[in-house]
Amino acid sequence: MPSILSSLDSVARSAFEALGFPSQIAAVRASDRDDVPYQCNGAMAAAGITKKRGEKLNPREIAAQAVAIMSADPAIGSLEIAGPGFINITPADDLITRRAEALLADPAADLKADISKTIVVDYGGANVAKPMHVGHLRSAVLGEAIKRILRAQGHTVIGDVHMGDWGLQMGHLISELAEEQPDLPYFDDAFEGDYPSEPPVTMDDLARLYPQASNKAKSDKDRMELSRVATAQLQAGRRGYRALLDHFIDVSVAALKIGYGNLGVEFDLWKGEACVDPLIPDMIDDLKASGIAEQDDGALIIRVAEGEKDKTPPVMLLASSGAVLYHTTDLATLIDRKAEINPDLIVYVVDQRQALHFEQVFRGAVKAGWYDRGQLFHAGFGTMNGKDGKPFKTREGGVLRLEDLMEIMHEAARDRLDSSGIGADFGPEERTEIARKIGLAALKFADLQNQRMTNYIFDPERFTAFEGKTGPYLLYAVVRIKSILRKAAEMDVESGAFHIEAETEKQLVLSLDAYARAIELAAEKYAPHILCEHIYTVAQSFSRFYADCPILADDVPDAVQASRLSLAKATLSQLEHGLDLLAIEAPDRM
């Protein structure tokens, strides 16, 4: 069945249409008042329309006419005209009961979008041969949530990690490895056999070799030249270097799958810039032939400024040295996705500081005729900062590894459990697992609850609190309901038909009813914080309901117990479903 809001919206629109007004002015929305759940402000707009017609109806008169029509509908419980002509709406108890039944039957009811699309979500962006660090957190967490929210709407969504596996960093690795192990067959131009199937390096080796080479090259021009030559030979197709690149990628992907997996993040495609290198020559030729690409001071560019006042720099296809650049590989990636997936939409979940880059790339792709502008969207985001307000770093000023960040949160969660006494009787292994889930939920929810473009301060103590709008608060709400259901089973109390009578019961159903709208808005705006706000509101509503309406107390009639237990089940289903869309897992108990 449609949501309560949708049902009331239909009633109001029909009433205003019957009075000769356009239906869109009668949209019903959630009320700002605590005592009235919904409101229709269409009478004010209708009065403006009558004025243009030469009539003299004020908003309250129009509201009274609309109320006379609306009150006959069984979806309406009560109507009130307030102020200059606002119509306050309370749904009928029967509508609330039927909606509760629908929500219990399917926590994902009414989430599907009208039109299903094929969507690529580009997020992650970790580099080959480098450990994941704190800078990868937001892209991974936001991208995973956006992907899951879009899937909940019924879209076909492909998550692509889009690794950085091309350019000078590969030259650094190859040339440094050549210095350390010059006898490897990859460096022998005369070698014609099969290269070893086992990589000559581990992830620890790669993590050591890259900074080692990079630091040398900063102060030694000859050493930098070795890396540049190795990069050029790799990109030119030197057989041994391509084989090494494959090893670097395999080793890195294995490590990245563990790192992202620990964060609860999964990808469908593990592609990087190197995958599209074979497409670049034909792409360049086509852009030249069509006149879209042009020479400029030795470089090959696409001009993308729109009008004389637009100062957007051109897309850089080839440097004057002939080297390909980030613009080049990103455009080639768009060609690859068009050929392999043909998506309706591509969403890039990348730091907002890259906004100009994506604007240039998008304009270049549109100018080339590959995509419409509406098919490409950059879901930029702010930074997670330290207490100094700058992007978070270690005390020494370095970039913190992601695994170390997660350990900080794990320790903060353990300290919180110890200080609160929660789970004090559990065994050490279970407490460790609970602390892991609390720490991860705290970290993710602290990130996701912020409006995407907002910067925020990393604060483990605040993030792990069991009070307020935090991940642990939501986990505790889930665990509490699970505990109630376990106790009910021990008492042989079963859920049953709904009898929604108390105000806090009704408010809880109305909170649950808003789920589909929250998903719709979160998907439309690529804004997981909207879903976070909904889940938090539901948890608060359940807390008020539970405090006001005992479920398993001895003096509660059986039918009331059964109804309230059903309401608890419906709440648990939606909370778990919503948390899963945020890639947050709750323990069974605390």
Side-chain angles (χ1 to χ4, degrees):
M1 64 174 291
S3 69
I4 293 171
L5 176 61
S6 296
S7 297
L8 299 179
D9 185 77
S10 296
V11 172
R13 288 174 185 264
S14 296
F16 274 80
E17 275 190 333
L19 294 173
F21 298 110
S23 63
Q24 59 266 29
I25 70 170
V28 172
R29 62 176 180 82
S31 172
D32 296 328
R33 288 172 48 175
D34 293 334
D35 58 332
V36 178
Y38 302 104
Q39 188 176 74
C40 173
N41 300 336
M44 270 63 73
I49 292 173
T50 61
K51 186 176 181 180
K52 292 179 180 179
R53 295 174 181 171
E55 302 171 15
K56 295 183 179 180
L57 290 175
N58 65 45
R60 286 189 67 91
E61 290 173 324
I62 296 172
Q65 293 176 7
V67 163
I69 298 172
M70 293 170 63
S71 59
D73 195 285
I76 300 297
S78 64
L79 299 166
E80 173 195 22
I81 301 174
F86 305 124
I87 302 174
N88 293 325
I89 309 171
T90 299
D93 289 348
D94 179 64
L95 179 61
I96 294 175
T97 297
R98 288 189 290 110
R99 184 58 177 161
E101 292 168 348
L103 291 166
L104 177 61
D106 182 5
D110 308 318
L111 300 188
K112 302 299 183 184
D114 292 336
I115 300 174
S116 179
K117 298 179 179 179
T118 298
I119 303 172
V120 173
V121 180
D122 181 325
Y123 65 110
N127 291 311
V128 162
K130 296 181 182 179
M132 292 180 67
H133 58 75
V134 65
H136 296 123
L137 175 71
R138 295 214 73 189
S139 179
V141 171
L142 282 163
E144 184 70 17
I146 289 169
K147 179 188 73 178
R148 293 185 182 209
I149 289 168
L150 292 170
R151 282 181 177 169
Q153 285 200 304
H155 301 298
T156 299
V157 187
I158 298 99
D160 188 353
V161 69
H162 196 70
M163 296 177 295
D165 60 1
W166 205 235
L168 184 61
Q169 67 189 60
M170 297 300 109
H172 280 322
L173 287 170
I174 291 169
S175 55
E176 191 70 8
L177 184 61
E179 287 193 0
E180 288 195 358
Q181 301 185 57
D183 294 332
L184 289 174
Y186 309 96
F187 306 116
D188 182 359
D189 286 339
F191 183 78
E192 296 180 353
D194 294 330
Y195 292 110
S197 59
E198 289 298 313
V201 290
T202 65
M203 190 62 203
D204 288 340
D205 291 327
L206 294 177
R208 173 181 55 82
L209 288 169
Y210 175 76
Q212 191 171 292
S214 180
N215 290 333
K216 289 178 183 178
K218 287 176 183 177
S219 57
D220 186 338
K221 292 182 179 180
D222 291 336
R223 179 63 188 82
M224 176 62 82
E225 185 61 21
L226 288 176
S227 293
R228 286 176 174 159
V229 169
T231 302
Q233 290 178 336
L234 168 69
Q235 294 183 353
R238 179 167 170 172
R239 182 169 168 264
Y241 288 6
R242 287 300 180 107
L244 275 177
L245 176 63
D246 290 340
H247 285 315
F248 296 163
I249 291 173
D250 289 343
V251 169
S252 297
V253 166
L256 288 173
K257 285 184 176 180
I258 293 173
Y260 279 118
N262 289 338
L263 200 55
V265 173
E266 301 173 344
F267 295 96
D268 303 289
L269 295 178
W270 288 85
K271 287 191 170 186
E273 296 164 297
C275 293
V276 300
D277 179 64
L279 304 178
I280 290 176
D282 286 344
M283 178 185 79
I284 295 293
D285 289 344
D286 289 345
L287 291 171
K288 284 181 178 178
S290 63
I292 293 171
E294 60 182 88
Q295 293 291 331
D296 182 69
D297 197 23
L300 187 67
I301 67 170
I302 301 175
R303 297 192 189 278
V304 293
E306 298 172 350
E308 294 182 3
K309 294 183 179 181
D310 188 350
K311 303 300 182 183
T312 304
V315 169
M316 299 295 293
L317 286 172
L318 295 176
S320 56
S321 65
V324 300
L325 304 164
Y326 287 122
H327 285 161
T328 325
T329 53
D330 276 352
L331 285 171
T333 298
L334 284 170
I335 290 177
D336 181 56
R337 288 171 178 164
K338 186 79 171 179
E340 298 295 325
I341 302 171
N342 193 26
D344 300 299
L345 174 67
I346 303 176
V347 180
Y348 291 81
V349 187
V350 183
D351 192 323
Q352 182 60 20
R353 290 172 290 186
Q354 298 297 317
L356 176 59
H357 168 83
F358 285 107
E359 182 63 25
Q360 292 169 283
V361 170
F362 294 172
R363 289 188 186 188
V366 171
K367 191 170 184 177
W370 305 334
Y371 291 85
D372 294 330
R373 186 63 179 84
Q375 292 180 281
L376 305 169
F377 186 83
H378 174 214
F381 53 81
T383 55
M384 183 179 78
N385 298 334
K387 292 183 179 179
D388 60 358
K390 298 178 181 179
F392 188 74
K393 294 183 180 296
T394 64
R395 290 179 181 177
E396 294 74 27
V399 178
L400 187 71
R401 289 193 179 199
L402 186 59
E403 62 182 290
D404 294 331
L405 178 74
M406 292 173 68
E407 182 56 30
I408 290 172
M409 292 304 302
H410 191 179
E411 289 180 7
R414 281 200 300 261
D415 291 343
R416 183 70 68 174
L417 285 175
D418 291 341
S419 63
S420 66
I422 294 175
D425 298 333
F426 300 167
E429 289 187 6
E430 185 176 7
R431 283 177 62 80
T432 297
E433 179 62 11
I434 290 171
R436 183 191 69 80
K437 289 180 178 178
I438 290 174
L440 199 52
L443 181 65
K444 287 185 173 183
F445 192 79
D447 191 295
L448 293 168
Q449 66 147 332
N450 292 284
Q451 197 275 345
R452 179 165 41 80
M453 295 291 289
T454 302
N455 300 335
Y456 69 95
I457 303 297
F458 178 66
D459 187 345
E461 185 175 352
R462 179 168 58 86
F463 294 172
T464 54
F466 282 100
E467 305 82 27
K469 193 187 296 184
T470 68
Y473 173 81
L474 298 176
L475 297 194
Y476 192 76
V478 168
V479 168
R480 180 163 59 174
I481 300 174
K482 289 181 176 181
S483 177
I484 293 169
L485 297 179
R486 283 196 298 269
K487 186 176 179 181
E490 292 169 2
M491 297 170 59
D492 292 326
V493 177
E494 297 183 356
S495 58
F498 283 103
H499 300 282
I500 309 295
E501 297 177 351
E503 282 303 312
T504 50
E505 291 178 306
K506 295 177 182 179
Q507 286 301 320
L508 178 53
V509 176
L510 296 183
S511 294
L512 294 168
D513 180 65
Y515 190 41
R517 179 59 176 160
I519 293 293
E520 180 183 9
L521 290 174
E524 178 185 319
K525 300 176 183 294
Y526 312 108
H529 78 275
I530 296 173
L531 174 56
C532 291
E533 185 67 32
H534 170 81
I535 295 172
Y536 177 63
T537 298
V538 168
Q540 285 185 306
S541 294
F542 181 84
S543 182
R544 288 190 289 267
F545 151 73
Y546 187 59
D548 185 54
C549 300
I551 298 177
L552 301 176
D554 293 339
D555 59 346
V556 178
D558 292 348
V560 176
Q561 278 190 334
S563 172
R564 291 176 180 173
L565 202 59
S566 289
L567 194 48
K569 281 186 173 182
T571 304
L572 177 62
S573 293
Q574 191 176 104
L575 285 176
E576 289 191 310
H577 190 272
L579 287 172
D580 182 65
L581 297 187
L582 301 177
I584 292 176
E585 183 183 4
D588 289 329
R589 63 175 188 161
M590 285 187 194

